């Protein structure tokens, strides 16, 4: 799709292809079926129109049905998920969750957390990797293809572990442009102190706290050249020590979501699909060029050149 459009028009929107690929990928990965093009065109515009308005809701996780999603459209989505997720709903019932409630949650997690996340984060990652130029692209293509070759030609989890630069690039994309609302606030439940590099603050129960995430994700005391995209930032032992300061998931990258910590339940899934995107791009292409703008949902990216794999 992208290649044909690029050949005929000289450029191709990454976002359009990304939406369709993300939806099909999620259908196959989570429900073992292909969400057909037909369904995509029925649902795609609804999801796309809805996203900017509910973006706050995604991250507040209020799980209410957004009012602008008219009932009929929501029901069509709901039917699709009910038909596609029989065995998952059986599991839910065994765990004491009603089929109906489980189905609403599956719909939410697939369409808004997963699809929404890929829709916002993938163009942003493509922007940063694209703008880093052919030097980085060659390094990535070399690393990725050699790891695949030494794993019998397959993209496995083990093969991806042998791609340190690719992993660092994904972490750096998540650090520099975390696909979350940057404002965080909450009311203190008890008295405590909070510490910055050079100060200690007393917080009283009931105080309203406000945080601006970029102060942490672009902290110049932690990160060298914080405003720059450094592809190899997380390489090696030094780099690995910085991972605890990668915070997109509402917690350190070195920790895992639990029932008690409000960290993103899809954390590992998000990292995995982001790695897969970079791997698939550089299996297929030696290099690519982008044209970048902004949209309601972050970056808007056109591909203006794709150089097919030559080695
Ligand atoms: C790029 C994609 C994603 C981003 C940026 C993201 C980000 C976040 C953030 C910041 C939170 C914390 C919200 C809060 O303040 O309470 C969160 C929670 C959550 N995320 Fe994600 N998420 C993404 C994808 C996913 C996916 C794919 C899933 C599931 C498959 C998922 C499931 C959840 C759930 C269930 C919670 C609630 C956890 C809790 O409150 O205990 N997310 N996510
Ligand atoms: C992408 O291409 C379309 C069609 O030529 C154009 O309207 C749009 O402004 C371009 N976007 C960027 C970010 O340059």
């Amino acid at each position: 799709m992208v290649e044909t459009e690029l050949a005929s028009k000289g450029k191709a929107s990454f976002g359009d292809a990304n939406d369709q690929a993300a939806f099909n990928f999620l259908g196959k990965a989570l429900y073992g079926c292909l969400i057909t093009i037909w369904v995509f065109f029925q649902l795609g515009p609804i999801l796309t129109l809805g996203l900017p308005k509910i973006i706050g809701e995604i991250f507040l996780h209020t799980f209410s049905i957004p009012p602008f999603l008219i009932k009929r459209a929501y029901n069509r989505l709901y039917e699709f998920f009910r038909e596609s997720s029989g065995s998952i709903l059986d599991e839910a019932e065994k765990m004491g969750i009603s089929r109906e409630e489980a189905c609403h949650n599956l719909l939410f997690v697939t369409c808004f957390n997963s699809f929404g996340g890929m829709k916002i984060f993938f163009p942003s990652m493509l922007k940063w990797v694209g703008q880093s130029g052919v030097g980085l692209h060659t390094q990535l293509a070399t690393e990725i293809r050699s790891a695949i070759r030494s794993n019998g030609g397959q993209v496995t989890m083990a093969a991806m572990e042998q791609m340190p630069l690719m992993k660092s690039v994904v972490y750096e994309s998540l650090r520099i442009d975390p696909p979350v609302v940057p404002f965080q606030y909450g009311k203190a439940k008890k008295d405590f102190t909070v510490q910055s590099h050079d100060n200690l603050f007393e917080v009283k129960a009931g105080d309203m706290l406000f945080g601006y995430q970029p102060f942490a994700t672009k902290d110049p005391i932690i990160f060298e050249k914080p405003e720059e995209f450094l592809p190899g930032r997380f390489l090696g032992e030094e780099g690995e020590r910085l991972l605890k300061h990668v915070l997109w998931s509402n917690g350190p990258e070195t920790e895992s979501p639990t029932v008690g910590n409000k960290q993103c339940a899809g954390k590992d899934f998000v990292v995995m699909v982001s790695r897969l995107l970079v791997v698939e791009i550089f299996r297929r292409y030696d290099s690519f060029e982008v044209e970048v703008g902004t949209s309601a949902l972050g970056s808007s990216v056109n591909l203006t050149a794709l150089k097919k794999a030559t080695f």
Side-chain angles (χ1 to χ4, degrees):
M1 177 171 156
V2 168
E3 284 175 15
T4 330
E5 200 182 327
L6 187 62
S8 65
K9 294 190 195 145
K11 57 167 124 170
S13 152
F14 173 72
D16 294 348
N18 186 47
D19 285 355
Q20 188 165 325
F23 219 60
N24 284 339
F25 174 84
L26 290 171
K28 273 199 268 187
L30 305 177
Y31 304 99
C33 67
L34 197 66
I35 301 179
T36 61
I37 307 279
W38 181 82
V39 174
F40 176 79
F41 281 119
Q42 296 289 308
L43 304 179
I46 300 165
L47 297 179
T48 305
L49 284 173
L51 272 168
K53 293 189 197 153
I54 59 135
I55 203 92
E57 270 180 278
I58 295 177
F59 299 111
L60 295 172
H61 289 282
T62 48
F63 286 92
S64 62
I65 301 166
F68 62 89
L69 272 186
I70 49 168
K71 209 169 168 141
R72 231 182 76 218
Y74 185 86
N75 285 345
R76 209 154 56 194
L77 270 170
Y78 182 86
E79 274 311 302
F80 173 78
F81 280 92
R82 201 177 51 79
E83 282 165 20
S84 316
S85 45
S87 61
I88 309 176
L89 298 181
D90 295 343
E91 267 327 291
E93 242 179 352
K94 278 186 218 150
M95 294 164 76
I97 305 165
S98 79
R99 296 181 84 81
E100 204 193 1
E101 185 185 345
C103 194
H104 285 298
N105 280 331
L106 284 177
L107 187 161
F108 193 92
V109 123
T110 308
C111 294
F112 299 108
N113 300 57
S114 307
F115 177 79
M118 289 159 96
K119 186 174 178 62
I120 297 166
F121 180 61
F122 282 5
S124 136
M125 187 166 67
L126 208 79
K127 171 186 93 174
W128 290 107
V129 176
Q131 289 177 335
S132 296
V134 66
L136 174 67
H137 298 171
T138 308
Q139 280 179 293
L140 280 169
T142 308
E143 175 189 270
I144 288 166
R145 292 172 203 171
S146 110
I148 294 174
R149 260 180 232 122
S150 57
N151 280 270
Q154 305 281 325
V155 179
T156 57
M157 298 301 251
M160 289 206 288
E161 284 306 316
Q162 291 160 22
M163 304 173 185
L165 181 61
M166 179 280 288
K167 288 165 62 181
S168 175
V169 158
V170 170
Y171 287 137
E172 176 68 340
S173 306
L174 286 164
R175 176 197 73 86
I176 201 163
D177 252 348
V180 296
V181 277
F183 315 110
Q184 301 177 319
Y185 47 90
K187 217 170 220 175
K189 288 187 179 138
K190 52 178 188 197
D191 296 355
F192 64 97
T193 58
V194 59
Q195 207 173 336
S196 69
H197 292 298
D198 46 18
N199 268 305
L200 195 68
F201 303 88
E202 277 182 23
V203 177
K204 294 262 172 281
D207 283 354
M208 183 57 113
L209 299 172
F210 172 81
Y212 182 59
Q213 215 189 55
F215 285 156
T217 55
K218 296 185 177 169
D219 180 347
I221 295 177
I222 304 287
F223 295 111
E224 176 199 342
K225 300 185 185 154
E227 301 289 340
E228 281 178 43
F229 183 84
L230 303 184
R233 190 187 291 281
F234 296 98
L235 284 175
E237 251 176 64
E238 283 278 296
E240 223 155 276
R241 270 203 291 276
L242 291 173
L243 279 178
K244 65 170 182 287
H245 302 287
V246 174
L247 302 168
W248 70 272
S249 64
N250 203 34
E253 194 59 32
T254 43
E255 288 175 20
S256 297
T258 67
V259 177
N261 68 6
K262 305 291 285 177
Q263 193 167 12
C264 176
K267 173 175 171 271
D268 293 346
F269 180 83
V270 170
V271 170
M272 183 189 71
V273 294
S274 307
R275 289 176 176 178
L276 279 173
L277 177 68
V278 179
V279 168
E280 289 303 326
I281 288 174
F282 288 105
R283 271 177 97 182
R284 214 163 294 198
Y285 306 108
D286 285 348
S287 184
F288 63 94
E289 284 169 34
V290 290
E291 172 182 78
V292 173
T294 48
S295 77
L297 287 173
S299 298
S300 145
V301 174
N302 285 335
L303 287 155
T304 52
L306 283 170
K307 190 164 168 287
K308 287 228 173 100
T310 54
F311 61 91

